PDB file of all heavy atoms in Angstrom:
ATOM      1  N   LYS Q   1     -27.391 -60.323  53.246  1.00  0.00           N
ATOM      2  CA  LYS Q   1     -28.612 -60.180  54.023  1.00  0.00           C
ATOM      3  C   LYS Q   1     -28.310 -59.770  55.456  1.00  0.00           C
ATOM      4  O   LYS Q   1     -29.043 -59.008  56.063  1.00  0.00           O
ATOM      5  CB  LYS Q   1     -29.400 -61.495  54.015  1.00  0.00           C
ATOM      6  CG  LYS Q   1     -30.104 -61.772  52.695  1.00  0.00           C
ATOM      7  CD  LYS Q   1     -30.878 -63.068  52.760  1.00  0.00           C
ATOM      8  CE  LYS Q   1     -31.627 -63.337  51.459  1.00  0.00           C
ATOM      9  NZ  LYS Q   1     -32.334 -64.622  51.492  1.00  0.00           N
ATOM     10  N   LEU Q   2     -27.200 -60.278  56.016  1.00  0.00           N
ATOM     11  CA  LEU Q   2     -26.883 -60.010  57.400  1.00  0.00           C
ATOM     12  C   LEU Q   2     -26.584 -58.539  57.663  1.00  0.00           C
ATOM     13  O   LEU Q   2     -26.870 -58.028  58.731  1.00  0.00           O
ATOM     14  CB  LEU Q   2     -25.675 -60.857  57.827  1.00  0.00           C
ATOM     15  CG  LEU Q   2     -25.961 -62.332  58.113  1.00  0.00           C
ATOM     16  CD1 LEU Q   2     -24.654 -63.068  58.369  1.00  0.00           C
ATOM     17  CD2 LEU Q   2     -26.884 -62.501  59.304  1.00  0.00           C
ATOM     18  N   VAL Q   3     -25.988 -57.859  56.713  1.00  0.00           N
ATOM     19  CA  VAL Q   3     -25.550 -56.491  56.968  1.00  0.00           C
ATOM     20  C   VAL Q   3     -26.592 -55.442  56.564  1.00  0.00           C
ATOM     21  O   VAL Q   3     -26.391 -54.269  56.793  1.00  0.00           O
ATOM     22  CB  VAL Q   3     -24.224 -56.184  56.245  1.00  0.00           C
ATOM     23  CG1 VAL Q   3     -23.127 -57.085  56.751  1.00  0.00           C
ATOM     24  CG2 VAL Q   3     -24.358 -56.309  54.736  1.00  0.00           C
ATOM     25  N   ILE Q   4     -27.683 -55.869  55.964  1.00  0.00           N
ATOM     26  CA  ILE Q   4     -28.727 -54.910  55.596  1.00  0.00           C
ATOM     27  C   ILE Q   4     -29.670 -54.715  56.782  1.00  0.00           C
ATOM     28  O   ILE Q   4     -30.264 -55.654  57.277  1.00  0.00           O
ATOM     29  CB  ILE Q   4     -29.529 -55.404  54.378  1.00  0.00           C
ATOM     30  CG1 ILE Q   4     -28.653 -55.396  53.130  1.00  0.00           C
ATOM     31  CG2 ILE Q   4     -30.746 -54.529  54.151  1.00  0.00           C
ATOM     32  CD1 ILE Q   4     -29.354 -55.886  51.897  1.00  0.00           C
ATOM     33  N   ILE Q   5     -29.759 -53.470  57.267  1.00  0.00           N
ATOM     34  CA  ILE Q   5     -30.700 -53.164  58.335  1.00  0.00           C
ATOM     35  C   ILE Q   5     -31.560 -51.983  57.901  1.00  0.00           C
ATOM     36  O   ILE Q   5     -31.161 -51.184  57.068  1.00  0.00           O
ATOM     37  CB  ILE Q   5     -29.970 -52.850  59.661  1.00  0.00           C
ATOM     38  CG1 ILE Q   5     -29.109 -51.586  59.521  1.00  0.00           C
ATOM     39  CG2 ILE Q   5     -29.129 -54.020  60.118  1.00  0.00           C
ATOM     40  CD1 ILE Q   5     -28.501 -51.139  60.828  1.00  0.00           C
ATOM     41  N   GLN Q   6     -32.714 -51.918  58.480  1.00  0.00           N
ATOM     42  CA  GLN Q   6     -33.614 -50.817  58.168  1.00  0.00           C
ATOM     43  C   GLN Q   6     -33.117 -49.569  58.889  1.00  0.00           C
ATOM     44  O   GLN Q   6     -32.949 -49.574  60.112  1.00  0.00           O
ATOM     45  CB  GLN Q   6     -35.042 -51.148  58.612  1.00  0.00           C
ATOM     46  CG  GLN Q   6     -36.065 -50.107  58.199  1.00  0.00           C
ATOM     47  CD  GLN Q   6     -37.475 -50.526  58.543  1.00  0.00           C
ATOM     48  OE1 GLN Q   6     -37.686 -51.580  59.123  1.00  0.00           O
ATOM     49  NE2 GLN Q   6     -38.441 -49.696  58.203  1.00  0.00           N
ATOM     50  N   ILE Q   7     -32.873 -48.516  58.140  1.00  0.00           N
ATOM     51  CA  ILE Q   7     -32.342 -47.305  58.752  1.00  0.00           C
ATOM     52  C   ILE Q   7     -33.420 -46.249  58.879  1.00  0.00           C
ATOM     53  O   ILE Q   7     -34.417 -46.262  58.147  1.00  0.00           O
ATOM     54  CB  ILE Q   7     -31.140 -46.758  57.953  1.00  0.00           C
ATOM     55  CG1 ILE Q   7     -31.585 -46.290  56.552  1.00  0.00           C
ATOM     56  CG2 ILE Q   7     -30.038 -47.806  57.841  1.00  0.00           C
ATOM     57  CD1 ILE Q   7     -30.503 -45.554  55.800  1.00  0.00           C
ATOM     58  N   SER Q   8     -33.213 -45.327  59.822  1.00  0.00           N
ATOM     59  CA  SER Q   8     -34.195 -44.276  60.064  1.00  0.00           C
ATOM     60  C   SER Q   8     -33.852 -42.997  59.294  1.00  0.00           C
ATOM     61  O   SER Q   8     -34.718 -42.385  58.671  1.00  0.00           O
ATOM     62  CB  SER Q   8     -34.271 -43.978  61.568  1.00  0.00           C
ATOM     63  OG  SER Q   8     -32.971 -43.819  62.107  1.00  0.00           O
ATOM     64  N   ASN Q   9     -32.571 -42.586  59.346  1.00  0.00           N
ATOM     65  CA  ASN Q   9     -32.137 -41.366  58.659  1.00  0.00           C
ATOM     66  C   ASN Q   9     -30.737 -41.576  58.087  1.00  0.00           C
ATOM     67  O   ASN Q   9     -29.926 -42.305  58.655  1.00  0.00           O
ATOM     68  CB  ASN Q   9     -32.080 -40.178  59.625  1.00  0.00           C
ATOM     69  CG  ASN Q   9     -33.384 -39.938  60.350  1.00  0.00           C
ATOM     70  OD1 ASN Q   9     -34.343 -39.475  59.773  1.00  0.00           O
ATOM     71  ND2 ASN Q   9     -33.411 -40.269  61.636  1.00  0.00           N
ATOM     72  N   LEU Q  10     -30.444 -40.898  57.000  1.00  0.00           N
ATOM     73  CA  LEU Q  10     -29.091 -40.898  56.451  1.00  0.00           C
ATOM     74  C   LEU Q  10     -28.270 -39.779  57.089  1.00  0.00           C
ATOM     75  O   LEU Q  10     -28.824 -38.772  57.553  1.00  0.00           O
ATOM     76  CB  LEU Q  10     -29.118 -40.706  54.939  1.00  0.00           C
ATOM     77  CG  LEU Q  10     -29.407 -41.956  54.097  1.00  0.00           C
ATOM     78  CD1 LEU Q  10     -29.612 -41.567  52.641  1.00  0.00           C
ATOM     79  CD2 LEU Q  10     -28.267 -42.973  54.219  1.00  0.00           C
ATOM     80  N   ILE Q  11     -26.967 -39.953  57.068  1.00  0.00           N
ATOM     81  CA  ILE Q  11     -26.086 -38.957  57.666  1.00  0.00           C
ATOM     82  C   ILE Q  11     -26.220 -37.603  56.970  1.00  0.00           C
ATOM     83  O   ILE Q  11     -25.978 -36.557  57.577  1.00  0.00           O
ATOM     84  CB  ILE Q  11     -24.623 -39.451  57.635  1.00  0.00           C
ATOM     85  CG1 ILE Q  11     -23.768 -38.598  58.582  1.00  0.00           C
ATOM     86  CG2 ILE Q  11     -24.079 -39.490  56.215  1.00  0.00           C
ATOM     87  CD1 ILE Q  11     -22.392 -39.167  58.838  1.00  0.00           C
ATOM     88  N   THR Q  12     -26.633 -37.613  55.724  1.00  0.00           N
ATOM     89  CA  THR Q  12     -26.826 -36.346  54.996  1.00  0.00           C
ATOM     90  C   THR Q  12     -27.968 -35.518  55.577  1.00  0.00           C
ATOM     91  O   THR Q  12     -28.076 -34.322  55.289  1.00  0.00           O
ATOM     92  CB  THR Q  12     -27.106 -36.626  53.511  1.00  0.00           C
ATOM     93  OG1 THR Q  12     -28.127 -37.637  53.407  1.00  0.00           O
ATOM     94  CG2 THR Q  12     -25.856 -37.133  52.811  1.00  0.00           C
ATOM     95  N   ASP Q  13     -28.826 -36.154  56.390  1.00  0.00           N
ATOM     96  CA  ASP Q  13     -29.939 -35.436  57.019  1.00  0.00           C
ATOM     97  C   ASP Q  13     -29.602 -34.966  58.436  1.00  0.00           C
ATOM     98  O   ASP Q  13     -30.436 -34.337  59.096  1.00  0.00           O
ATOM     99  CB  ASP Q  13     -31.176 -36.341  57.087  1.00  0.00           C
ATOM    100  CG  ASP Q  13     -31.640 -36.775  55.707  1.00  0.00           C
ATOM    101  OD1 ASP Q  13     -31.611 -35.933  54.800  1.00  0.00           O
ATOM    102  OD2 ASP Q  13     -32.007 -37.956  55.546  1.00  0.00           O
ATOM    103  N   ARG Q  14     -28.391 -35.267  58.897  1.00  0.00           N
ATOM    104  CA  ARG Q  14     -28.024 -34.904  60.267  1.00  0.00           C
ATOM    105  C   ARG Q  14     -27.941 -33.384  60.409  1.00  0.00           C
ATOM    106  O   ARG Q  14     -27.452 -32.692  59.516  1.00  0.00           O
ATOM    107  CB  ARG Q  14     -26.680 -35.544  60.632  1.00  0.00           C
ATOM    108  CG  ARG Q  14     -26.343 -35.495  62.115  1.00  0.00           C
ATOM    109  CD  ARG Q  14     -25.109 -36.321  62.428  1.00  0.00           C
ATOM    110  NE  ARG Q  14     -23.925 -35.792  61.736  1.00  0.00           N
ATOM    111  CZ  ARG Q  14     -22.727 -36.363  61.799  1.00  0.00           C
ATOM    112  NH1 ARG Q  14     -22.568 -37.489  62.491  1.00  0.00           N
ATOM    113  NH2 ARG Q  14     -21.699 -35.829  61.161  1.00  0.00           N
ATOM    114  N   PRO Q  15     -28.418 -32.839  61.521  1.00  0.00           N
ATOM    115  CA  PRO Q  15     -28.444 -31.374  61.705  1.00  0.00           C
ATOM    116  C   PRO Q  15     -27.044 -30.750  61.634  1.00  0.00           C
ATOM    117  O   PRO Q  15     -26.047 -31.367  62.016  1.00  0.00           O
ATOM    118  CB  PRO Q  15     -29.040 -31.209  63.110  1.00  0.00           C
ATOM    119  CG  PRO Q  15     -29.767 -32.484  63.379  1.00  0.00           C
ATOM    120  CD  PRO Q  15     -29.021 -33.556  62.658  1.00  0.00           C
ATOM    121  N   ASP Q  16     -26.995 -29.521  61.166  1.00  0.00           N
ATOM    122  CA  ASP Q  16     -25.726 -28.801  61.076  1.00  0.00           C
ATOM    123  C   ASP Q  16     -25.067 -28.629  62.435  1.00  0.00           C
ATOM    124  O   ASP Q  16     -23.839 -28.606  62.542  1.00  0.00           O
ATOM    125  CB  ASP Q  16     -25.942 -27.422  60.431  1.00  0.00           C
ATOM    126  CG  ASP Q  16     -26.238 -27.526  58.941  1.00  0.00           C
ATOM    127  OD1 ASP Q  16     -25.894 -28.560  58.334  1.00  0.00           O
ATOM    128  OD2 ASP Q  16     -26.815 -26.572  58.375  1.00  0.00           O
ATOM    129  N   LEU Q  17     -25.868 -28.485  63.476  1.00  0.00           N
ATOM    130  CA  LEU Q  17     -25.304 -28.351  64.823  1.00  0.00           C
ATOM    131  C   LEU Q  17     -24.442 -29.565  65.180  1.00  0.00           C
ATOM    132  O   LEU Q  17     -23.404 -29.431  65.839  1.00  0.00           O
ATOM    133  CB  LEU Q  17     -26.425 -28.202  65.853  1.00  0.00           C
ATOM    134  CG  LEU Q  17     -27.144 -26.855  65.899  1.00  0.00           C
ATOM    135  CD1 LEU Q  17     -28.337 -26.932  66.832  1.00  0.00           C
ATOM    136  CD2 LEU Q  17     -26.192 -25.757  66.341  1.00  0.00           C
ATOM    137  N   ALA Q  18     -24.879 -30.740  64.720  1.00  0.00           N
ATOM    138  CA  ALA Q  18     -24.097 -31.957  64.953  1.00  0.00           C
ATOM    139  C   ALA Q  18     -22.892 -32.008  64.025  1.00  0.00           C
ATOM    140  O   ALA Q  18     -21.772 -32.317  64.447  1.00  0.00           O
ATOM    141  CB  ALA Q  18     -24.970 -33.188  64.751  1.00  0.00           C
ATOM    142  N   ASN Q  19     -23.120 -31.697  62.757  1.00  0.00           N
ATOM    143  CA  ASN Q  19     -22.025 -31.752  61.781  1.00  0.00           C
ATOM    144  C   ASN Q  19     -20.893 -30.800  62.149  1.00  0.00           C
ATOM    145  O   ASN Q  19     -19.709 -31.112  61.946  1.00  0.00           O
ATOM    146  CB  ASN Q  19     -22.550 -31.403  60.382  1.00  0.00           C
ATOM    147  CG  ASN Q  19     -23.536 -32.433  59.871  1.00  0.00           C
ATOM    148  OD1 ASN Q  19     -23.492 -33.593  60.259  1.00  0.00           O
ATOM    149  ND2 ASN Q  19     -24.431 -32.002  59.002  1.00  0.00           N
ATOM    150  N   ASN Q  20     -21.243 -29.639  62.690  1.00  0.00           N
ATOM    151  CA  ASN Q  20     -20.253 -28.604  62.996  1.00  0.00           C
ATOM    152  C   ASN Q  20     -19.710 -28.694  64.419  1.00  0.00           C
ATOM    153  O   ASN Q  20     -18.970 -27.804  64.855  1.00  0.00           O
ATOM    154  CB  ASN Q  20     -20.857 -27.222  62.764  1.00  0.00           C
ATOM    155  CG  ASN Q  20     -21.261 -27.015  61.321  1.00  0.00           C
ATOM    156  OD1 ASN Q  20     -20.670 -27.584  60.406  1.00  0.00           O
ATOM    157  ND2 ASN Q  20     -22.293 -26.197  61.101  1.00  0.00           N
ATOM    158  N   ARG Q  21     -20.100 -29.697  65.151  1.00  0.00           N
ATOM    159  CA  ARG Q  21     -19.602 -29.926  66.522  1.00  0.00           C
ATOM    160  C   ARG Q  21     -19.886 -28.723  67.429  1.00  0.00           C
ATOM    161  O   ARG Q  21     -19.040 -28.289  68.211  1.00  0.00           O
ATOM    162  CB  ARG Q  21     -18.095 -30.210  66.505  1.00  0.00           C
ATOM    163  CG  ARG Q  21     -17.668 -31.341  65.584  1.00  0.00           C
ATOM    164  CD  ARG Q  21     -16.152 -31.500  65.593  1.00  0.00           C
ATOM    165  NE  ARG Q  21     -15.692 -32.405  64.560  1.00  0.00           N
ATOM    166  CZ  ARG Q  21     -15.576 -33.725  64.679  1.00  0.00           C
ATOM    167  NH1 ARG Q  21     -15.899 -34.304  65.823  1.00  0.00           N
ATOM    168  NH2 ARG Q  21     -15.131 -34.470  63.671  1.00  0.00           N
ATOM    169  N   GLU Q  22     -21.081 -28.195  67.347  1.00  0.00           N
ATOM    170  CA  GLU Q  22     -21.413 -26.984  68.089  1.00  0.00           C
ATOM    171  C   GLU Q  22     -22.032 -27.251  69.458  1.00  0.00           C
ATOM    172  O   GLU Q  22     -22.297 -26.306  70.214  1.00  0.00           O
ATOM    173  CB  GLU Q  22     -22.368 -26.119  67.253  1.00  0.00           C
ATOM    174  CG  GLU Q  22     -21.747 -25.594  65.970  1.00  0.00           C
ATOM    175  CD  GLU Q  22     -22.708 -24.740  65.168  1.00  0.00           C
ATOM    176  OE1 GLU Q  22     -23.636 -24.167  65.782  1.00  0.00           O
ATOM    177  OE2 GLU Q  22     -22.526 -24.633  63.939  1.00  0.00           O
ATOM    178  N   ARG Q  23     -22.272 -28.514  69.784  1.00  0.00           N
ATOM    179  CA  ARG Q  23     -22.933 -28.817  71.045  1.00  0.00           C
ATOM    180  C   ARG Q  23     -22.493 -30.202  71.532  1.00  0.00           C
ATOM    181  O   ARG Q  23     -21.944 -31.003  70.776  1.00  0.00           O
ATOM    182  CB  ARG Q  23     -24.456 -28.798  70.857  1.00  0.00           C
ATOM    183  CG  ARG Q  23     -24.918 -29.887  69.902  1.00  0.00           C
ATOM    184  CD  ARG Q  23     -26.360 -29.781  69.514  1.00  0.00           C
ATOM    185  NE  ARG Q  23     -26.731 -30.874  68.607  1.00  0.00           N
ATOM    186  CZ  ARG Q  23     -27.891 -30.963  67.974  1.00  0.00           C
ATOM    187  NH1 ARG Q  23     -28.810 -30.013  68.154  1.00  0.00           N
ATOM    188  NH2 ARG Q  23     -28.150 -31.982  67.167  1.00  0.00           N
ATOM    189  N   LEU Q  24     -22.746 -30.458  72.788  1.00  0.00           N
ATOM    190  CA  LEU Q  24     -22.524 -31.793  73.330  1.00  0.00           C
ATOM    191  C   LEU Q  24     -23.731 -32.682  73.015  1.00  0.00           C
ATOM    192  O   LEU Q  24     -24.842 -32.189  72.833  1.00  0.00           O
ATOM    193  CB  LEU Q  24     -22.333 -31.725  74.845  1.00  0.00           C
ATOM    194  CG  LEU Q  24     -21.115 -30.951  75.367  1.00  0.00           C
ATOM    195  CD1 LEU Q  24     -21.149 -30.891  76.890  1.00  0.00           C
ATOM    196  CD2 LEU Q  24     -19.816 -31.569  74.874  1.00  0.00           C
ATOM    197  N   GLY Q  25     -23.506 -33.975  72.949  1.00  0.00           N
ATOM    198  CA  GLY Q  25     -24.618 -34.907  72.816  1.00  0.00           C
ATOM    199  C   GLY Q  25     -24.820 -35.498  71.443  1.00  0.00           C
ATOM    200  O   GLY Q  25     -25.796 -36.227  71.221  1.00  0.00           O
ATOM    201  N   ASP Q  26     -23.913 -35.198  70.521  1.00  0.00           N
ATOM    202  CA  ASP Q  26     -23.964 -35.833  69.202  1.00  0.00           C
ATOM    203  C   ASP Q  26     -22.933 -36.955  69.190  1.00  0.00           C
ATOM    204  O   ASP Q  26     -21.724 -36.702  69.106  1.00  0.00           O
ATOM    205  CB  ASP Q  26     -23.687 -34.813  68.095  1.00  0.00           C
ATOM    206  CG  ASP Q  26     -24.781 -33.751  68.018  1.00  0.00           C
ATOM    207  OD1 ASP Q  26     -25.943 -34.136  67.774  1.00  0.00           O
ATOM    208  OD2 ASP Q  26     -24.463 -32.567  68.222  1.00  0.00           O
ATOM    209  N   TRP Q  27     -23.415 -38.185  69.291  1.00  0.00           N
ATOM    210  CA  TRP Q  27     -22.541 -39.336  69.518  1.00  0.00           C
ATOM    211  C   TRP Q  27     -22.332 -40.156  68.253  1.00  0.00           C
ATOM    212  O   TRP Q  27     -23.243 -40.290  67.436  1.00  0.00           O
ATOM    213  CB  TRP Q  27     -23.141 -40.236  70.600  1.00  0.00           C
ATOM    214  CG  TRP Q  27     -23.306 -39.568  71.924  1.00  0.00           C
ATOM    215  CD1 TRP Q  27     -24.409 -38.889  72.368  1.00  0.00           C
ATOM    216  CD2 TRP Q  27     -22.349 -39.504  72.971  1.00  0.00           C
ATOM    217  NE1 TRP Q  27     -24.190 -38.407  73.632  1.00  0.00           N
ATOM    218  CE2 TRP Q  27     -22.933 -38.771  74.033  1.00  0.00           C
ATOM    219  CE3 TRP Q  27     -21.054 -40.008  73.135  1.00  0.00           C
ATOM    220  CZ2 TRP Q  27     -22.266 -38.528  75.228  1.00  0.00           C
ATOM    221  CZ3 TRP Q  27     -20.384 -39.764  74.329  1.00  0.00           C
ATOM    222  CH2 TRP Q  27     -20.986 -39.028  75.358  1.00  0.00           C
TER     223      TRP Q  27
END
């Protein structure tokens, strides 16, 4: 129960710009 949190988005939905390291600001 302690480790289950409500999440907003899965990593599979992360933009390609973030996945490909094309910009600053993806932390």
Side-chain angles (χ1 to χ4, degrees):
K1 285 181 178 178
L2 283 174
V3 298
I4 292 179
I5 64 173
Q6 186 175 2
I7 66 171
S8 48
N9 305 287
L10 279 171
I11 195 168
T12 49
D13 299 320
R14 193 172 63 183
D16 288 339
L17 286 172
N19 295 333
N20 298 331
R21 306 177 190 272
E22 295 180 25
R23 64 189 181 188
L24 297 175
D26 295 299
W27 299 91

